[in-house]
Structure formats: C-alpha cells, structure tokens
Amino acid sequence: MCGIVGAVASKDIVGTLVQGLQRLEYRGYDSCGVAVHTGSALQRSRSTQRVAELLAQVQTEALQAHTGIAHTRWATHGAPSTANAHPHFSHGPRATAATAGRIALVHNGIIENHDELRHALAARGYAFVSQTDTEVIAHLVDSLYDGDLLTAVQQASAQLQGAYAIAVVARDEPHRVVGARAGSPLVLGLGKGEDTARYLASDALALAGVTDQIVYLEEGDVADLSLARHQVYDAQGQRVGRAVHTVQISGAAAELGPYRHFMQKEIFEQPRAISDTLEGLESVMPELFDAPAALGKTTATSAWRAFKAIDRVLILGCGTSYLAGCVAKQWIETLAGIPTTVEIASEYRYRDSVPHPSTLVVCISQSGETADTLAALRHAQGLGMAHTLAICNVATSAMVRECALVYLTRAGVEVGVASTKAFTTQLAGLFLLALALAQSRGRLSDADETAHLKALRHLPVALQSVLALEPHLIAWAQQFAGKQHALFLGRGLHYPVACEGALKLKEISYIHAEAYPAGELKHGPLALVTADMPVVAVAPNDALLDKLKSNLQEVRARGGVLYVLADAHTRIEPSEGVHVIRMPEHYGLLSPMLHTLPLQLLAYHTAVALGTDVDKPRNLAKSVTVE
C-alpha cells in the first residue's frame, strides 16, 4: 500500500528518495511524488505513472536538495490523479506568495475525522485543492505552525482520529523532517560513520543500501530529524529513547532476474523458501515458537507453558492468510484434537464474540503490518486473551513485536501483489504448529514425528517436481483466457486450496472465479455450470476421492468442462470434456501445499495470456495498512 520515504542529509537526497520509492513499488500504488527543500522554497513533482516516470521528471527539472519527502499512494479518498497525489502543500488563509506552500506532507493511513477538520479549516480560509484526507493534515499543521515544526506536528497529531504515519517538512526550516505514527508503521534510519543523514520510511526495505541502522517508532511516537541528530517523543510529549537495531536489509531479493514477472519468480522460489523456513528442523517441539532472542523482546514467554495452558485456538487473518488458517484448522483438529476457529480479521472485532482466556490467538500475515489483523489481535488481547502467536515473514514487523510467541517464515521479499511463496511458507509454519500442539498433548508418537519430519524435509524436492508441470498449465491457461467465469472445487483439506486458486485467478486475470466445497454443488452452484464455465477440481488420492468423483460426474452430466489436478492412482482419466494433469505424488496431510502450485501457475499464465499487469493488478495493494 502507500509508502513513505524522507531524508535530511548534507548531500543531495533526491536520488535516495526516488530509489526508496522504487523499493516500495511492490506494495502497490497508483500515484507517486516527491517534495524537497530547495533552500528558499518547497518544490514538488508528482505523477500518476510509475516511479520511473517520476524519476524522469525530477531529472528533467534537475531537482536537487538536502531535505525532502516522497510517497507512493494507493487511492482511498479521491481518484488517482495528480491533484490527489502526495506530497500535499498547505494553502493558508488568503494565501500569498509568502504563505502558500509553507508545509509539505505525506501520509499513510486514513483520518476518520477529516470531514469535521476540513469544515473547520475551510471556515478559517484554507483552500482545498484535492479530495484527500491528507490535505486536511497539511492545513492543520500549517494552522498550528509558529516557527517550530515539531510542536505543530505534536499538536496536530493530538487532533487526528484514525490511523496514520506522516512525514512533514516546513519551508522555514530547511534541514528538518518531522514524522509521526499511530496505527501505521514508520521507521527511522541513521547514517553510519561519517554519514550524518537521518531517514524516515514506512518500510525498512526502502532504506536498503542506504543504512542498516533502524529505529522502530512505537505507537504515538513523533520523531524530529535533523543533520546528525534525532529525537523521539512519545504520545504524551515526553522525550524517549528507542533502541537502534542493525537490520540486514537486502534489495537483491527485489531484482527480477531472468523471470518475466516477480510473481513467476516467486512461484519458482517456493522450494527454496520452504527449505529456508524449515532450516535446522531436527525435531518437533513447542520451543520452535518461542520468540528468538534476536528480536529483543523484553519479556520471554515460553511456548511450552502457553501450549499447556490453552484448550482452544483462534486463527486471525485476511485474504490468502485467512485461507492458510482454514487449512491449519483441519491440521490442528486432526493432529492435536484442539477445537479451532478461523476468523476473517476485518470482521472479528466488529461482532460480539465470546472470549476465553485459555485461547491461543494465532495471527497470520506476510508483512506483519496488516491493519485489520493487527486491530483484531489488539481486540483479542483487550478481551483478556494473552496467549498470542504471530506467523509472519517480517521479523521487525508490528505483529511480531506485539505477539508473545513467534514463528518466522523465511519466504524473503515477496514483490508480486498476489501472494505465492508467503502462502506456502505460512502453511509450513502452521503444520509445525499443529505438530507441536499435538506433542504438547501427548498425541504425537515418535514414529509419527519421524514420518512427518521426513515428509517436511522432502517438500522442496516434491515442489520442484510440481513446478515441472508448467507447460501443461500454460496449455490450460490458453483455454481459460477466453472465459469470463470459472468454478473451483475441493473437499476437506483441499477446499481452502480451491478458494486460494479462485482468488489468484480473479486477482491477476480479472476473470470471475468462485470456489465451493464439491459437496455443495447440488445446493446451488450447479445451476451455473455450462460448457462456458470451466470447472477446476483438486483431486488428491484421499478418503474423499470417491465422493469427489461423484461430484465431477454431476458437472459432466450438465455439459461442464473439467480441469482436474489428480494424484496418481485416482483413476481419473482424460476424456472429452475432462482435462487431467497428473500430480507427481500424493503427499497426505501436506498435499495442500503441492496442489497450490499448479493453481498459482494457472492463474499466472492466464493473466499473461490476457496481458494484465501481473505484479500490480488493478485496485489492489501488497501490504494493506488501512482498514
């Protein structure tokens, strides 16, 4: 979603700002811009094209500066347009050359009370030239500005309701950037050695190659940056110290290499990502979920004690992470015998649920900054559920910092908006959780543990074999490219996999796709089946296979065309109207991970055939940091 980069330095920082935006492109955006202090005035450049276009603009303008802020915007208030693009300038009452553009500001998040602030500021003579809630903040800071930007931002922050991370510069203070955060992430970067620069960013990745010295601002913090100095103030206005972390931030993972799109690259990185996620796994034990000492948590919580204390599990997630939780529910109930509920995080805190203190709350997120999941976590904690676990790909994220227990997946940077390797590494972590919970209850024999560990270690090889099916899926994709709708079917563990396949297809190809448990066909969806509605079936060789075969016959009897991902020995053979891809091997409880990859490849190659923007599908963002 939206991205922020800011800097104050003794050298030109325009290139650093734009490079930071390029590193944040994977989050999704529809406009971008930069504002800098030229010594006597604030100057900005904005674009509704890609960051590369913005770079060309600033180069044409020969823009140079030692202080500035930059932004990528994902539209919420107001359509994607230059007028709505950040940075926003203040336009004070009866603006003159002396007062116009006194404040420049960029903002991530949503201000819930922007309407009332807008009316109050308009009554004072402030002119609004955009539809955004962000412009309200710029005017508000301007209205409070009396020569000290820090004080103005602190006073403005006290009036804002909602979620935000902001970076602000003032025309009258040429070597100063002030940032503030509440509900949206913001980090501070420190120059090393003789480099006296100070940086702000919404994601440490934006500072890759610039610095590895990172300060994570906490809820309500306001940061005051100038050359060789920074000060942080908490929500009460008290100066506080925040720890400096040395973070290995590599931009190399964001290089496309020989692949056509990042999504294709990330699909093929899954064997390596699973191997990295399971690296060093010698046995199954609850201690796998203890927070690593390197995370610097002030209170150490024992997963062993927590697992002994809980008698139910609540899983929270959004989108693909929610579907990973749906698979995990069946694993946990099958292996550990613990009742498990999966909730869509954006819905959970808006209903009257029944809290239980002996619940393990599992939050799943690729970024660890997903606004809805973080809010759901905090809601659960507020209801007295203190046993919390993050399954996350980013060690430095808010979710990891706020959960008592942690399992870090090691997917690496995922640039494509449609999640691929993050999903399968989440599944790997969740399967280990099911095993660890089973062990804590005496339900995991030594023989079973050995068998499961062997299967996990073989996963990278098994996934590589599935990827070899790509040519067959390209052929399927050519047929799907001419369709407008598709149906996905699965049973048991594989129903969430069917949901994930439908989600991928609609996300990047814009073909309408829905998934159903195959047994639900005759309860409504069968009415949709025609020769123009391709039906994808996930057909593992498991206990539900005969039931699934009956469901597939229902489709064929109505003239439907089947595309079946079948395990060996399922006795599902290709025929007229039945297309079959044979999976390399049946993988038991871990079968969902193998069946996921061909569905990803089908969606990817269908989108390629249709010519869509695979890595940046319309209207979507990678990291959803607003409600």
Side-chain angles (χ1 to χ4, degrees):
M1 197 159 275
C2 303
I4 288 174
V5 188
V8 53
S10 58
K11 59 184 179 182
D12 178 41
I13 47 80
V14 174
T16 299
L17 295 176
V18 177
Q19 183 185 63
L21 294 187
Q22 289 174 324
R23 296 202 183 281
L24 296 179
E25 282 190 285
Y26 78 97
R27 296 163 69 101
Y29 67 103
D30 43 48
S31 63
C32 52
V34 59
V36 298
H37 203 299
T38 62
S40 59
L42 296 176
Q43 184 176 342
R44 69 180 166 184
S45 186
R46 298 182 291 178
S47 174
T48 55
Q49 304 302 312
R50 293 302 183 197
V51 174
E53 172 65 21
L54 179 66
L55 176 60
Q57 285 182 213
V58 300
Q59 289 174 339
T60 299
E61 297 164 1
L63 206 59
Q64 291 187 336
H66 294 173
T67 305
I69 53 179
H71 191 263
T72 51
R73 175 181 185 252
W74 188 77
T76 53
H77 295 76
S81 68
T82 302
N84 289 329
H86 300 209
H88 285 283
F89 280 5
S90 58
H91 301 279
R94 297 171 296 282
T96 66
T99 60
R102 188 167 66 163
I103 298 294
L105 180 144
V106 294
H107 162 230
N108 290 355
I110 291 178
I111 303 303
E112 296 174 356
N113 61 333
H114 69 96
D115 270 340
E116 63 184 76
L117 291 172
R118 180 185 296 266
H119 290 141
L121 290 162
R124 295 180 56 183
Y126 280 87
F128 288 84
V129 297
S130 79
Q131 301 166 293
T132 68
D133 54 342
T134 302
E135 191 181 5
V136 171
I137 315 174
H139 293 340
L140 180 60
V141 172
D142 182 274
S143 73
L144 298 166
Y145 184 70
D146 190 23
D148 183 7
L149 185 59
L150 172 66
T151 300
V153 171
Q154 287 175 317
Q155 292 174 349
S157 298
Q159 297 184 42
L160 300 177
Q161 297 172 15
Y164 59 85
I166 59 175
V168 195
V169 293
R171 184 196 57 204
D172 300 335
E173 300 181 70
H175 296 290
R176 193 179 201 185
V177 179
V178 175
R181 64 149 298 190
S184 289
L186 195 64
V187 304
L188 171 64
L190 312 181
K192 297 175 64 176
E194 296 181 0
D195 181 5
T196 58
R198 294 293 184 268
Y199 307 93
L200 279 177
S202 52
D203 187 325
L205 181 63
L207 305 179
V210 176
T211 182
D212 61 359
Q213 299 298 291
I214 301 296
V215 175
Y216 294 95
L217 299 180
E218 297 186 7
E219 190 75 0
D221 280 356
V222 178
D224 184 11
L225 283 62
S226 58
L227 276 178
R229 184 187 66 84
H230 69 276
Q231 294 177 333
V232 180
Y233 300 84
D234 64 17
Q236 287 71 48
Q238 299 298 310
R239 186 173 172 181
V240 292
R242 299 292 185 223
V244 179
H245 300 270
T246 299
V247 179
Q248 298 303 315
I249 318 167
S250 173
E255 301 296 333
L256 188 56
Y259 296 94
R260 187 170 177 181
H261 298 94
F262 281 106
M263 183 177 179
Q264 183 186 31
K265 176 189 179 191
E266 288 154 10
I267 290 171
F268 277 84
E269 285 178 339
Q270 287 175 104
R272 190 273 308 158
I274 293 295
S275 178
D276 289 351
T277 296
L278 300 175
E279 185 178 8
L281 181 65
E282 299 295 335
S283 61
V284 175
M285 59 186 72
E287 287 81 358
L288 291 169
F289 299 88
D290 288 341
L295 296 183
K297 287 184 176 289
T298 54
T299 56
T301 300
S302 162
W304 180 264
R305 272 198 308 273
F307 289 0
K308 285 292 189 181
I310 62 104
D311 57 18
R312 64 196 68 190
V313 176
L314 168 64
I315 300 176
L316 302 171
C318 296
T320 288
S321 295
Y322 166 76
L323 295 174
C326 292
V327 176
K329 168 185 168 67
Q330 299 194 46
W331 282 338
I332 292 169
E333 292 189 341
T334 297
L335 293 168
I338 302 174
T340 301
T341 303
V342 189
E343 294 265 7
I344 296 172
S346 58
E347 295 291 321
Y348 169 66
R349 68 189 178 111
Y350 293 114
R351 68 176 186 81
D352 294 327
S353 58
V354 181
H356 197 286
S358 59
T359 299
L360 176 65
V361 180
V362 181
C363 296
I364 310 173
S365 171
Q366 186 280 139
S367 68
E369 304 290 352
T370 308
D372 288 316
T373 311
L374 279 171
L377 165 64
R378 292 161 186 162
H379 177 67
Q381 290 170 325
L383 293 175
M385 293 185 279
H387 302 299
T388 57
L389 166 65
I391 304 287
C392 185
N393 189 43
V394 182
T396 54
S397 65
M399 191 170 295
V400 167
R401 295 197 302 273
E402 294 182 27
C403 282
L405 305 174
V406 175
Y407 191 84
L408 292 174
T409 61
R410 305 198 181 277
V413 175
E414 189 178 62
V415 176
V417 166
S419 181
T420 52
K421 60 180 180 174
F423 177 66
T424 47
T425 53
Q426 286 170 354
L427 289 179
L430 289 163
F431 188 75
L432 281 176
L433 174 62
L435 294 177
L437 289 170
Q439 191 206 58
S440 71
R441 275 159 172 68
R443 292 173 59 103
L444 185 68
S445 69
D446 290 345
D448 286 342
E449 178 183 5
T450 299
H452 288 310
L453 287 173
K454 181 179 179 181
L456 284 167
R457 294 188 186 111
H458 182 63
L459 263 177
V461 174
L463 293 173
Q464 201 68 55
S465 299
V466 176
L467 291 172
L469 299 172
E470 185 181 32
H472 304 286
L473 291 152
I474 292 173
W476 279 15
Q478 296 301 317
Q479 299 175 56
F480 272 68
K483 306 299 182 182
Q484 293 183 315
H485 308 277
L487 199 62
F488 287 69
L489 302 177
R491 299 202 69 145
L493 271 173
H494 296 81
Y495 166 55
V497 172
C499 291
E500 176 65 8
L503 177 60
K504 286 292 158 284
L505 187 67
K506 72 180 80 170
E507 275 183 307
I508 61 171
S509 74
Y510 315 143
I511 293 172
H512 173 248
E514 297 295 336
Y516 287 91
E520 283 292 291
L521 264 179
K522 62 179 72 68
H523 297 287
L526 202 55
L528 297 172
V529 172
T530 69
D532 291 325
M533 169 78 85
V535 179
V536 180
V538 182
N541 190 11
D542 61 13
L544 291 171
L545 177 61
D546 288 339
K547 297 290 186 184
L548 178 64
K549 285 182 177 179
S550 297
N551 302 139
L552 301 186
Q553 288 300 320
E554 294 168 357
V555 172
R556 286 299 299 131
R558 274 77 180 177
V561 179
L562 286 166
Y563 294 81
V564 186
L565 296 169
D567 282 351
H569 311 302
T570 56
R571 297 183 181 177
I572 300 175
E573 301 298 332
S575 60
E576 183 179 354
V578 181
H579 306 273
V580 179
I581 290 178
R582 195 75 61 196
M583 298 290 287
E585 55 185 304
H586 175 55
Y587 224 65
L589 285 175
L590 289 169
S591 174
M593 298 181 69
L594 270 67
H595 278 86
T596 293
L597 270 64
L599 297 177
Q600 294 172 349
L601 287 168
L602 174 62
Y604 170 73
H605 285 292
T606 302
V608 169
L610 289 168
T612 66
D613 191 344
V614 173
D615 290 329
K616 301 181 181 70
R618 67 189 181 202
N619 304 330
L620 299 179
K622 181 64 181 173
S623 181
V624 183
T625 55
V626 297
E627 269 195 274

